[in-house]
Amino acid sequence: MSEPVISVVVSTRDRPARLAGLLRALSAQTLEPQAFEVIVVDNGTGAAPVAVPAGEAMRVRVVRPARPGGPASGRNLGWRAAAAGLIAFTDDDCEPEPAWLAALLEAARRAPGAIIQGVTRPIARELDRDGLLAHTVRIERLGPQYETCNIAYPRAILAELGGFDESFGREPAGEDTDLAWRALHAGHRAVFAPAALVRHAVTRQSPAQALRRAYRWSAVVGVYARHPEARVMLWRGRFWNVWHYLLWRSVLVLPAPRWLRAAVLTRHAAALAGRARAAGVRPAAVPLAVAFLAVHDAVECAAILRGALRSRTLVL
């Protein structure tokens, strides 16, 4: 059997139904099955074992680490086990469109040696799940986060840089962004491939799940400490997003005269109400949504502040 020209690497953890959707999408690629391979790194607990669909023509290998690790260690194990010179990364809650791999290869032909990032949009049939507590990914341009839901690296770049930095931990925390910026600093370039389309799951979260996700971002601040140029992602170069800016402004105005405090807090509440309405919250539920969003942003701010103190870099 001939060697593959591109390897797909996915690190998965206890999401067998989502992984099955990914494998179905990969089996429908327009690229000939012998031209690519799929490396699935099972980083799960063992409670939901990975099952490879029977009867598929594509090559799938399951790799299991000695002990489950984070996404960085899983992806490193995957690309090192891969045979191709071009490594495509995606996630276990994604479904690439049929022309995905062919489009990545065409982009690699046009830009030899470059990192290739594609488009990511929500899975169309799941858009009815979108809303205030939903999580999905939308990418329509190159960078600056360089998410691994849809990106390809020449194997040589991964080998040169040592792959993903596993010190980012067991949860997704900017290890993909860090790798891309290290590659750019080393003189490599990244290009955008609009025809390489991946669909990302739309996942509904409970309020508790949303707050847990908000609190996990401390390690991401390390990206800004290592790569100051990545601050282009921040609001005004300092704030995680505009909502953090508004929250810090409201906190700082608390000792101010009553008229000023009332004006600033009212504007903040109005902005949160607009955010809730834009997410499809019913009018009667907007006040409750505003209260939740304020708590969510406070939890996220606490996580970012913790990361800023650890990294000794100013991000709020």
Side-chain angles (χ1 to χ4, degrees), residues 147-225:
E147 297 93 330
T148 43
C149 54
N150 186 2
I151 202 163
Y153 281 84
R155 184 188 183 90
I157 294 180
L158 296 170
E160 174 190 333
L161 300 177
F164 298 87
D165 185 342
E166 298 179 17
S167 70
F168 277 88
R170 292 176 61 88
E171 295 291 336
E175 70 287 336
D176 46 3
T177 306
D178 169 72
L179 174 61
W181 282 92
R182 282 192 284 125
L184 295 174
H185 291 166
H188 301 289
R189 65 172 177 147
V191 299
F192 197 60
L197 174 59
V198 163
R199 299 285 182 175
H200 194 285
V202 182
T203 305
R204 285 178 175 169
Q205 305 173 105
S206 69
Q209 288 171 328
L211 293 178
R212 281 197 295 271
R213 176 181 287 272
Y215 195 63
R216 81 182 192 191
W217 295 122
S218 297
V220 178
V221 181
V223 172
Y224 303 106

Side-chain angles (χ1 to χ4, degrees), residues 7-295:
S7 298
V8 180
V9 170
V10 56
S11 179
T12 187
R13 186 172 71 180
D14 299 334
R15 292 199 285 199
R18 286 295 187 188
L19 179 64
L22 168 65
L23 294 176
R24 283 194 299 270
L26 290 172
S27 71
Q29 292 295 295
T30 59
L31 197 65
E32 291 295 322
Q34 66 270 21
F36 70 97
E37 65 173 351
V38 181
I39 310 295
V40 177
V41 180
D42 183 2
N43 249 329
T45 61
V50 168
V52 176
E56 299 290 357
M58 67 180 183
R59 290 179 279 188
V60 182
R61 280 190 288 152
V62 178
V63 179
R64 292 181 173 87
R67 68 177 56 146
S73 64
R75 293 178 191 127
N76 283 341
L77 189 61
W79 73 258
R80 288 175 178 135
L86 185 64
I87 313 295
F89 293 99
T90 190
D91 293 329
D92 63 358
D93 56 353
C94 293
E95 297 181 6
E97 289 290 304
W100 179 55
L101 289 177
L104 289 178
L105 285 171
E106 176 59 20
R109 185 188 68 80
R110 293 175 179 271
I115 302 163
I116 305 156
Q117 183 178 25
V119 172
T120 302
R121 295 173 185 149
I123 295 174
R125 67 178 183 277
E126 297 182 1
L127 281 172
D128 61 338
R129 304 177 186 177
D130 207 2
L132 188 66
L133 296 179
H135 168 70
T136 190
V137 175
R138 293 175 171 87
I139 301 167
E140 297 288 348
R141 62 185 179 90
L142 182 66
Q145 291 177 279
Y146 301 99
E147 297 93 330
T148 43
C149 54
N150 186 2
I151 202 163
Y153 281 84
R155 184 188 183 90
I157 294 180
L158 296 170
E160 174 190 333
L161 300 177
F164 298 87
D165 185 342
E166 298 179 17
S167 70
F168 277 88
R170 292 176 61 88
E171 295 291 336
E175 70 287 336
D176 46 3
T177 306
D178 169 72
L179 174 61
W181 282 92
R182 282 192 284 125
L184 295 174
H185 291 166
H188 301 289
R189 65 172 177 147
V191 299
F192 197 60
L197 174 59
V198 163
R199 299 285 182 175
H200 194 285
V202 182
T203 305
R204 285 178 175 169
Q205 305 173 105
S206 69
Q209 288 171 328
L211 293 178
R212 281 197 295 271
R213 176 181 287 272
Y215 195 63
R216 81 182 192 191
W217 295 122
S218 297
V220 178
V221 181
V223 172
Y224 303 106
R226 300 178 185 192
H227 313 293
E229 301 92 333
R231 286 182 173 272
V232 297
M233 293 184 279
L234 299 176
W235 177 263
R236 299 186 176 178
R238 290 285 184 272
F239 298 92
W240 182 251
N241 54 36
V242 66
W243 306 109
H244 285 208
Y245 164 74
L246 293 176
L247 181 63
W248 281 112
R249 189 177 68 175
S250 292
V251 169
L252 292 174
V253 82
L254 291 178
R258 180 181 299 178
W259 66 268
L260 180 57
R261 183 170 66 246
V264 171
L265 295 180
T266 299
R267 290 185 66 183
H268 187 186
L272 292 176
R275 178 178 167 190
R277 287 191 293 269
V281 174
R282 299 189 312 274
V286 166
L288 183 60
V290 167
F292 171 78
L293 289 171
V295 172

